[in-house]
């Protein structure tokens, strides 16, 4: 797989807990990012220990963190008007859509109701 890839929050949690192997989500010639909403979700998480928190901070720092832009906000609003999807999921999907990226997630069902052109990938 190549191109832009956005990680959903749950994928990074699975990586931090060693429930998912990195080779299942990292591919040659790909550019990896997360939405700012995922960063907020991840760092607001109740860590079981300092090691897990350190892993998440270092992992997030290794990725491109995409801020909310007017285009992402407008796309999120359009998505929310068309479907009843949670705001964080709508922001993450809109980020992938605006950046023409694939979305790696274990929660495919959260995104199926969204009409769009984002390729959803479940590595589990």
């Amino acid at each position: 797989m190549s191109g832009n890839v956005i990680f959903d929050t749950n994928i990074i949690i699975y990586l931090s807990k060693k429930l998912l192997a990195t080779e299942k989500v990292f591919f040659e010639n790909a550019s990896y990012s997360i939405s700012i909403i995922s960063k907020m979700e991840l760092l607001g998480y109740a860590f079981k220990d300092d090691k897990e928190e350190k892993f998440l901070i270092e992992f997030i720092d290794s990725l491109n963190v995409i801020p909310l832009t007017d285009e992402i906000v407008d796309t999120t609003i359009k998505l929310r008007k068309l479907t009843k999807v949670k705001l964080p999921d709508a922001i993450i999907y809109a980020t992938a859509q605006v950046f023409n990226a694939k979305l790696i997630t274990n929660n495919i069902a959260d995104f199926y109701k969204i009409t769009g052109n984002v390729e959803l990938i479940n590595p589990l």
Side-chain angles (χ1 to χ4, degrees):
M1 179 188 330
S2 62
N4 295 326
V5 176
I6 304 282
F7 287 121
D8 191 9
T9 308
N10 59 53
I11 295 302
I12 298 172
I13 291 171
Y14 294 147
L15 288 168
S16 76
K17 295 183 179 298
K18 301 194 183 330
L19 299 173
L20 179 62
T22 55
E23 56 270 8
K24 295 260 190 183
V25 296
F26 285 100
F27 312 98
E28 283 188 46
N29 302 317
S31 172
Y32 296 95
S33 304
I34 60 170
S35 167
I36 190 67
I37 194 76
S38 291
K39 180 177 181 176
M40 290 186 284
E41 287 179 321
L42 289 163
L43 297 182
Y45 180 73
F47 300 103
K48 69 177 182 176
D49 57 43
D50 291 340
K51 185 178 176 183
E52 184 179 12
E53 182 175 15
K54 183 177 187 265
F55 171 87
L56 285 172
I57 290 169
E58 289 175 359
F59 190 81
I60 291 167
D61 287 346
S62 74
L63 301 171
N64 177 35
V65 178
I66 300 171
L68 285 178
T69 63
D70 288 340
E71 187 177 6
I72 292 170
V73 170
D74 292 343
T75 302
T76 300
I77 291 166
K78 288 176 189 170
L79 293 173
R80 297 261 300 161
K81 285 183 174 183
L82 294 173
T83 60
K84 292 187 186 235
V85 62
K86 294 176 188 173
L87 182 59
D89 291 337
I91 294 169
I92 292 167
Y93 189 96
T95 302
Q97 188 167 314
V98 167
F99 279 82
N100 193 31
K102 298 166 183 71
L103 177 58
I104 298 182
T105 180
N106 185 46
N107 294 336
I108 297 278
D110 291 348
F111 299 100
Y112 267 145
K113 51 189 156 191
I114 300 175
T115 305
N117 59 350
V118 173
E119 181 181 348
L120 303 174
I121 300 166
N122 185 347
L124 298 175

